Amino acid sequence: MDVSRFSIPSSSTPLLFSPFTKNSILKKNPNSLPVFSRTRRFKLSVARNSSSATSESPPDTKTRSSSEIFGPELQLSGFQKLVDAVPLTARYAGSAVVVAGALAAGYALGFRIKGTQVAAVGGAVALGAVGGAAAFVVNSAAPGVAAVNLHNKVAACDDPELLNKEEIEELARRYGVSKQNEEFNAELCDLYNRFVSSVIPPGSESLQGDEADKIVKFKNALGIDDPDAANVHMEIGRRIYRQRLETGDRDADVEQRRAFQKLVYVSNLVFGEASTFLLPWKRVFKVTDAQVEVAIRDNAQRLYSVNLRSIGRDVNEQQLIDLRAAQLRYKLSNEIAADLLMEHNRKLVEENISAALDMVKSRSRIKESAVVSELEKILSFNNLLISLKNHPQFNLFPPGIGPVSLLGGEYDGDRKIDDLKLLYRAFLTEALSDGHIEEKELSALNHLRNIFGLGKRETEAIMLEVTSKAYRKRLSQAVTRGDLEIATSKAAFLQNLCDELRFDPQKASEIHEDIYRQKLQLAVSDGALSDDDVASLLRLRVLLCIPQQTIDAAHADICGSLFEKVVRDVINAGVDGYDDDLKARVRKASQGLRLTRDASMAIVSKAVRKAFVNFVKRSKAVGNGIEAAKELKKMVAFNTVVVTEMIADIKGESPASESEPIEVEHKPIEEEEPEWESIETLRKTRPDKELQAKLGKPGQTEITLKDDLSERERADLYRTYLLYCISGEVTVVPFGGQIITKKDDSEYFLLNQLGQILGMSGKEVVDVHRNLAEQAFSEKARVILADGQLTKERIEQLNEVQKQVGLPSELAQKVIKGITTTKMAAAIETAVSRGRITIKQVRELKEANVDLDSMISLHLRENLFKKTVDEIFSSGTGEFDDEEVYEKIPADLGIDVDKSRGVVHELAKNRLSNSLLQAVALLRQKNQAGVVSSLNDMLACDKAVPSEPLPWSVPEELADLFCIYLHSEAPEDKVSRLQYLLGISDTTAAALRERGLPSMGAEEEFVF
């Protein structure tokens, strides 16, 4: 199909064609004479997806001629020329003359033919109608002529924007045409349609920003009403919408969508607030408010972005004012405008950052000043923005003016943070290149940190690194040139150096310490410090003002590590490896490294205690007590042979000769009592002089495990070796036999040394010996006192055992008492639980100073109290002693008085009714003595808890009970109280007193 048949050259046809072109006269009267013809052919634009289409420049009414926008000039027909040539007044007068002449001629002609008045009037009407029709045809052609002339006038205009509203109104008045005339208004709409279609660029092209102003100006020049103009915009939208539905190309569909969005945006700018009701986009095209807002927002952003291109690093106030005006003209929100401006400023800064990074990372040798120059451009631009933000006319500027931030841009992320740190370091290095830093440079660094978004810790780390290098450089120069040495005050010189570099004096002290450590490390590389090294280090210390505490710490660390290595070699050599070579190394290290006595001993103590702990761990790991004791014995030997000798070498002491007497210092036992000397094992730990001379020199006592092991752990280790000393070594022989080898008293001497190594006090040692002796005595005493009976023969056996273990008499008696008390307590508790002990026996035990509270549990004592009270209530005497029950018995049993009172009340209440039942039962059994006893129990319960009269269903039985009790010679007070409880009146009681006992005949015999 040939598309060219539907089109004319594109140079004379806009993107969209007009639907308003029509011949209204021909439509109204098709049989009338052809006054003019305005049949036109329009181009059907076919969107094509090509790169050339997108690269074309947007259309411009100034570069395109009017004929290209509105089409060629139209030609008038002969009749139209005649109408055009006749002035308006002449045309109206001629029309009146024609009508009048036709009326006169018709009247004359009718009268002449018929000769009657009626015929004359009929002729006038007929010819008058013809004349009127002719006049109407002439006048109705005027709008068409006006429309043609309007079209030709606009098409002939060099610049449609130069049209004048007065010229259009003058043309309408010339032909007597109103703008509400359908044909003339259609031409106005057609011209407006063509102009709008030419101004709005195609879908692939962008708006220029002046489209709305051009359209408004042209609309005002034509004088077209807003509703008619809005209809034109809606019709253009329908055309675009239909083209979008007809196209099958996806790219073309996108272009048509963009064209529709541009139409919506420009139309809203043209009509302003009235667009909400003049342009029904939602109703006609089924779009949402959000889609309309997106169209307006996107196009406003594009136009605003174009204006932002003129904003550079040298922006001024006028540019910002113009930018604000453009924002308001484009109806762009402040939030979006602020984001776009900040993004534009950020991109300008990112260009400088990228250029600086390229210089830093390039292999070519580029001076730091070139990198700093780019960063200074960033700072200058940032300072300019800050000053504009504080400008008095800030409210006239667009939103978004302020300091630059890289947030949300190319360099916002962890991957780029290292590059920004690199630039920050380069700027700081250049600032410190002359050996000091000014206040303005610090301010610039602060701004640069804020722009880069670096954290305070990150910048402080960079600052510390760079300033540390600069400080070391300045310090080296001062020492080399001798400036520091000749300075009157070394501290003031160093403080001034820190002030110039804005460097923390504390960090400077750390650098001084590091320099001293490096110097010391180099000096002790041969294992010793010479006098020259000491002098050089002293000079360095004075120059750098290093405190003595820091010097000691450095020596303890560096020299101490070398000395510690020698000590570890000695410890690893063991008991047999500490020879003369190792001794020489220890003396050389302790003297040549110039360590203080305390520092040397601290190093030795740490290493030796670690070795002692290893012995202890191995001792705990073995399951056999004898093997554990052997490990402890090895520790004592290690302490005597290695540790003691090494400490003597460190202190420079000569080992004691064999002829010299050996004195062993024993730790005094705190508050030691004389009777503890009777413990045999404790005495053996203190050998006499003869045994001391035989065993040799004791081990050192300065290094102990007191702080490394708990008190209980140390006591358990000492106890393990003590048992080994007591029991000896067991050797297993074939066939299950055992040979016990007793140890001599020399093992107790080693036990004493073990206690010193463990750091045990005298009291702790005594406690271990005492507990062991007490345990041995207690085990044998339990065998002797198995039945709890203490006889004279058993006392003699216990005394013999006491002498064997050396336990003091007081403690032995305590153990014996504990055993007998335990046995007695078990017997007493068994008797109580079986009911074989009464309150009388309890009181006898208390008189014998027996602690019943520890022997009888509280539960059993409470049960014994209940049993005693129950016996009182069932004794049949009718007596109840408040003091005895409520005070004495609870005190003897050691129970709570209030709780015991509650128990008594509860038992009394239960027993009261039960006693009445029991009395009636005994009455029915003819048991007079039992009746009296039960009634006495009831009276005893009533004394404990006073009661109301007791109900009973058979009054005669109550009378019999009272009568029996009345003749039992009971006290009057009890009789009176029983009368009340049984509910017997005084009359009945008097009658019963006169009556004898009720019949108590023999029981009936039942024969089965």
Side-chain angles (χ1 to χ4, degrees):
M1 183 177 183
D2 188 6
V3 183
S4 61
R5 293 191 303 136
F6 297 92
S7 62
I8 61 177
S10 59
S11 61
S12 62
T13 306
L15 175 65
L16 305 171
F17 54 86
S18 172
F20 301 99
T21 302
K22 54 189 175 180
N23 193 331
S24 59
I25 297 180
L26 293 179
K27 289 181 65 179
K28 292 180 180 180
N29 189 7
N31 297 323
S32 62
L33 293 176
V35 179
F36 65 92
S37 176
R38 295 183 62 195
T39 304
R40 301 172 183 168
R41 290 180 295 176
F42 301 97
K43 173 185 176 183
L44 177 62
S45 299
V46 180
R48 302 183 183 274
N49 184 15
S50 63
S51 61
S52 62
T54 59
S55 62
E56 293 178 356
S57 60
D60 191 355
T61 55
K62 293 184 179 180
T63 59
R64 296 176 59 186
S65 63
S66 297
S67 60
E68 292 176 342
I69 298 175
F70 304 103
E73 294 186 1
L74 301 178
Q75 300 297 324
L76 295 174
S77 63
F79 183 76
Q80 288 178 325
K81 291 180 179 179
L82 176 62
V83 174
D84 181 57
V86 178
L88 177 62
T89 55
R91 187 173 74 250
Y92 284 162
S95 298
V97 171
V98 170
V99 173
L103 289 173
Y107 184 85
L109 183 61
F111 187 79
R112 182 182 298 177
I113 294 175
K114 295 293 185 177
T116 62
Q117 187 68 23
V118 174
V121 173
V125 170
L127 290 181
V130 174
F136 176 77
V137 170
V138 171
N139 287 306
S140 62
V145 174
V148 172
N149 286 324
L150 175 63
H151 176 85
N152 293 338
K153 180 175 181 61
V154 175
C157 184
D158 295 335
D159 187 0
E161 299 179 20
L162 299 179
L163 282 176
N164 196 324
K165 182 178 181 181
E166 288 74 13
E167 295 178 356
I168 303 300
E169 292 176 350
E170 177 63 25
L171 188 146
R173 286 196 299 268
R174 175 184 171 188
Y175 294 100
V177 178
S178 173
K179 290 184 180 180
Q180 282 71 33
N181 182 269
E182 181 180 359
E183 188 171 0
F184 189 77
N185 188 55
E187 182 61 32
L188 290 175
C189 293
D190 179 56
L191 294 173
Y192 183 72
N193 186 349
R194 290 174 176 270
F195 185 79
V196 171
S197 301
S198 67
V199 169
I200 299 178
S204 60
E205 300 176 2
S206 302
L207 294 172
Q208 298 300 307
D210 58 349
E211 289 83 0
D213 295 338
K214 292 180 180 179
I215 292 173
V216 170
K217 187 176 181 180
F218 187 74
K219 178 172 72 69
N220 294 334
L222 292 179
I224 188 172
D225 296 335
D226 283 349
D228 294 333
N231 290 333
V232 172
H233 285 259
M234 297 301 296
E235 186 61 28
I236 295 174
R238 291 189 183 93
R239 296 288 181 179
I240 297 175
Y241 187 73
R242 283 196 294 269
Q243 290 179 4
R244 180 184 172 191
L245 296 177
E246 294 171 359
T247 184
D249 191 353
R250 183 175 181 179
D251 294 337
D253 178 73
V254 173
E255 290 185 3
Q256 297 298 335
R257 181 181 299 175
R258 290 191 60 188
F260 183 78
Q261 290 179 341
K262 286 184 283 188
L263 174 66
V264 171
Y265 173 66
V266 173
S267 301
N268 277 271
L269 292 182
V270 170
F271 296 103
E273 299 294 335
S275 60
T276 55
F277 56 86
L278 289 177
L279 302 173
W281 303 111
K282 295 185 291 182
R283 178 174 58 81
V284 176
F285 300 103
K286 307 300 181 183
V287 295
T288 62
D289 291 335
Q291 291 174 319
V292 174
E293 291 177 1
V294 168
I296 297 174
R297 183 195 63 197
D298 291 349
N299 286 280
Q301 284 181 347
R302 294 190 187 99
L303 291 175
Y304 193 73
S305 299
V306 173
N307 286 46
L308 285 176
R309 296 173 185 172
S310 61
I311 303 299
R313 297 176 182 84
D314 55 348
V315 61
N316 54 42
E317 294 86 348
Q318 187 59 43
Q319 287 179 319
L320 294 177
I321 294 175
D322 295 341
L323 188 62
R324 174 63 174 175
Q327 177 211 340
L328 298 176
R329 185 169 63 253
Y330 299 149
K331 293 186 177 181
L332 185 64
S333 65
N334 289 336
E335 293 78 7
I336 299 177
D339 292 340
L340 291 176
L341 181 56
M342 288 189 292
E343 180 182 1
H344 175 73
N345 295 337
R346 184 181 66 244
K347 289 182 178 179
L348 293 177
V349 172
E350 287 175 350
E351 292 177 2
N352 296 112
I353 293 175
S354 300
L357 285 175
D358 292 339
M359 296 178 188
V360 172
K361 295 182 179 180
S362 62
R363 296 184 178 180
S364 58
R365 303 181 66 179
I366 301 176
K367 294 182 178 180
E368 294 287 341
S369 58
V371 178
V372 173
S373 177
E374 294 293 333
L375 298 178
E376 288 178 346
K377 292 179 182 178
I378 296 175
L379 293 172
S380 176
F381 181 53
N382 185 70
N383 293 334
L384 176 60
L385 293 177
I386 294 175
S387 63
L388 290 173
K389 184 178 181 180
N390 301 323
H391 197 277
Q393 296 181 338
F394 176 73
N395 57 339
L396 301 179
F397 297 161
I401 296 294
V404 182
S405 174
L406 299 181
L407 185 64
E410 178 183 357
Y411 293 94
D412 179 22
D414 295 337
R415 296 183 178 180
K416 298 291 185 178
I417 195 68
D418 292 336
D419 293 339
L420 298 177
K421 290 180 182 179
L422 192 63
L423 295 180
Y424 187 86
R425 183 181 289 104
F427 189 86
L428 178 58
T429 303
E430 182 66 19
L432 290 171
S433 59
D434 55 354
H436 64 278
I437 186 169
E438 301 293 341
E439 187 65 32
K440 62 178 182 179
E441 293 171 336
L442 288 176
S443 177
L445 285 169
N446 188 35
H447 286 305
L448 196 63
R449 184 195 71 182
N450 295 334
I451 294 172
F452 288 170
L454 298 177
K456 185 177 181 180
R457 292 185 179 179
E458 296 170 332
T459 53
E460 286 179 353
I462 298 173
M463 178 74 74
L464 178 60
E465 177 186 351
V466 177
T467 51
S468 296
K469 293 180 180 179
Y471 182 80
R472 285 179 179 271
K473 183 179 178 181
R474 288 286 305 274
L475 185 61
S476 177
Q477 293 174 353
V479 174
T480 304
R481 293 196 299 259
D483 297 339
L484 180 58
E485 190 168 4
I486 63 176
T488 305
S489 174
K490 310 299 192 291
F493 184 90
L494 295 174
Q495 182 62 42
N496 183 51
L497 192 60
C498 292
D499 294 340
E500 292 180 357
L501 295 174
R502 308 300 175 94
F503 192 51
D504 186 6
Q506 183 63 34
K507 299 297 181 182
S509 299
E510 294 177 2
I511 292 178
H512 299 165
E513 181 181 355
D514 184 60
I515 295 174
Y516 186 87
R517 283 176 173 270
Q518 293 178 2
K519 182 71 173 178
L520 178 60
Q521 189 74 41
L522 182 62
V524 299
S525 58
D526 57 350
L529 286 174
S530 62
D531 294 338
D532 294 338
D533 294 333
V534 173
S536 177
L537 290 172
L538 179 60
R539 174 178 175 272
L540 183 61
R541 174 202 167 187
V542 173
L543 290 177
L544 300 181
C545 301
I546 304 176
Q548 183 62 42
Q549 183 179 2
T550 304
I551 298 297
D552 295 339
H555 280 263
D557 186 14
I558 297 174
C559 299
S561 61
L562 298 177
F563 183 70
E564 185 180 3
K565 184 177 182 302
V566 176
V567 173
R568 284 200 303 267
D569 292 341
V570 172
I571 293 174
N572 294 333
V575 176
D576 299 330
Y578 191 49
D579 53 11
D580 294 338
D581 293 337
L582 281 177
K583 291 182 178 181
R585 287 182 58 190
V586 170
R587 295 192 187 97
K588 178 182 177 182
S590 61
Q591 298 174 6
L593 293 175
R594 310 295 177 98
L595 288 171
T596 62
R597 179 68 59 83
D598 294 338
S600 301
M601 289 304 298
I603 295 171
V604 174
S605 176
K606 180 180 178 181
V608 170
R609 284 188 289 108
K610 185 176 181 181
F612 285 165
V613 170
N614 290 332
F615 280 109
V616 172
K617 289 180 179 179
R618 288 196 296 268
S619 174
K620 292 180 179 180
V622 297
N624 193 337
I626 296 176
E627 297 298 327
K630 290 181 178 180
E631 290 295 331
L632 297 177
K633 188 175 183 180
K634 293 178 181 179
M635 181 173 68
V636 175
F638 173 77
N639 178 66
T640 303
V641 176
V642 178
V643 180
T644 304
E645 294 293 332
M646 180 170 58
I647 292 177
D649 293 334
I650 292 172
K651 294 181 178 180
E653 300 174 354
S654 60
S657 61
E658 297 180 357
S659 60
E660 293 179 355
I662 300 173
E663 296 182 0
V664 181
E665 295 182 0
H666 300 286
K667 289 186 177 180
I669 301 176
E670 294 84 349
E671 300 180 1
E672 181 179 349
E673 298 179 2
E675 56 267 20
W676 294 121
E677 293 294 337
S678 62
I679 301 178
E680 183 179 5
T681 57
L682 184 59
R683 289 199 309 270
K684 291 180 179 180
T685 59
R686 302 173 183 179
D688 52 16
K689 294 183 178 181
E690 182 180 356
L691 182 58
Q692 292 177 8
K694 180 180 177 182
L695 294 176
K697 184 180 180 180
Q700 60 82 32
T701 58
E702 295 182 36
I703 303 174
T704 65
L705 293 176
K706 183 177 182 179
D707 298 330
D708 298 279
L709 300 175
S710 65
E711 181 178 351
R712 181 170 182 177
E713 288 177 324
R714 291 184 281 121
D716 290 342
L717 294 172
Y718 188 88
R719 179 186 177 87
T720 299
Y721 200 83
L722 177 57
L723 291 174
Y724 173 74
C725 295
I726 295 173
S727 61
E729 185 174 352
V730 180
T731 305
V732 180
V733 298
F735 305 105
Q738 292 182 347
I739 300 176
I740 300 177
T741 305
K742 291 291 184 179
K743 297 295 181 180
D744 56 13
D745 294 343
S746 62
E747 294 295 338
Y748 289 95
F749 180 71
L750 299 179
L751 177 63
N752 183 27
Q753 294 187 6
L754 176 63
Q756 295 174 354
I757 294 173
L758 295 176
M760 298 179 67
S761 63
K763 185 178 182 301
E764 292 172 346
V765 171
V766 169
D767 289 341
V768 175
H769 286 271
R770 183 198 64 187
N771 292 335
L772 190 60
E774 183 178 347
Q775 181 181 355
F777 180 79
S778 178
E779 291 176 356
K780 294 183 180 181
R782 282 193 181 93
V783 175
I784 296 172
L785 300 174
D787 57 355
Q789 300 297 325
L790 188 61
T791 63
K792 182 178 181 181
E793 293 78 8
R794 292 179 179 179
I795 292 176
E796 293 177 354
Q797 292 179 6
L798 292 174
N799 290 335
E800 185 65 24
V801 174
Q802 176 190 350
K803 293 178 181 180
Q804 291 178 1
V805 299
L807 195 66
S809 300
E810 181 181 352
L811 189 58
Q813 292 299 324
K814 183 178 179 182
V815 173
I816 295 171
K817 183 178 179 181
I819 295 174
T820 55
T821 302
T822 303
K823 298 290 184 180
M824 186 184 299
I828 292 175
E829 190 164 353
T830 302
V832 171
S833 61
R834 294 181 180 180
R836 292 185 294 184
I837 291 184
T838 62
I839 188 64
K840 181 179 180 181
Q841 293 171 325
V842 169
R843 287 170 175 168
E844 291 176 356
L845 291 173
K846 289 196 70 175
E847 291 176 359
N849 295 325
V850 177
D851 188 8
L852 294 178
D853 294 345
S854 61
M855 292 185 179
I856 306 176
S857 64
L858 178 61
H859 176 69
L860 290 178
R861 281 181 276 140
E862 291 177 349
N863 290 339
L864 180 58
F865 178 75
K866 290 182 181 179
K867 181 181 177 183
T868 303
V869 174
D870 191 63
E871 289 176 353
I872 294 174
F873 288 152
S874 61
S875 62
T877 61
E879 300 297 332
F880 182 82
D881 189 353
D882 291 351
E883 183 180 1
E884 175 73 14
V885 175
Y886 291 140
E887 297 180 8
K888 293 182 179 180
I889 297 177
D892 292 336
L893 294 177
I895 60 177
D896 184 71
V897 175
D898 296 333
K899 186 175 181 181
S900 61
R901 186 181 294 273
V903 171
V904 171
H905 290 175
E906 183 179 358
L907 290 173
K909 290 178 182 178
N910 295 333
R911 189 73 182 178
L912 185 67
S913 58
N914 291 337
S915 297
L916 179 60
L917 292 174
Q918 187 177 4
V920 172
L922 293 173
L923 175 66
R924 293 173 182 176
Q925 297 175 9
K926 314 299 182 182
N927 188 349
Q928 183 177 351
V931 170
V932 174
S933 178
S934 297
L935 293 176
N936 281 329
D937 293 341
M938 186 173 67
L939 291 173
C941 294
D942 179 67
K943 287 183 178 181
V945 181
S947 174
E948 297 294 330
L950 299 175
W952 190 255
S953 59
V954 184
E956 292 79 7
E957 292 181 340
L958 296 178
D960 291 342
L961 292 175
F962 181 74
C963 184
I964 292 172
Y965 195 79
L966 184 64
H967 293 85
S968 65
E969 299 181 357
E972 188 61 29
D973 57 340
K974 291 185 178 181
V975 174
S976 176
R977 185 61 183 173
L978 181 64
Q979 176 185 348
Y980 172 77
L981 293 176
L982 296 178
I984 296 175
S985 64
D986 294 339
T987 305
T988 305
L992 291 175
R993 288 178 184 273
E994 295 177 359
R995 196 184 76 177
L997 290 172
S999 178
M1000 303 293 289
E1003 297 180 2
E1004 298 180 2
E1005 296 182 359
F1006 295 92
V1007 179
F1008 295 95

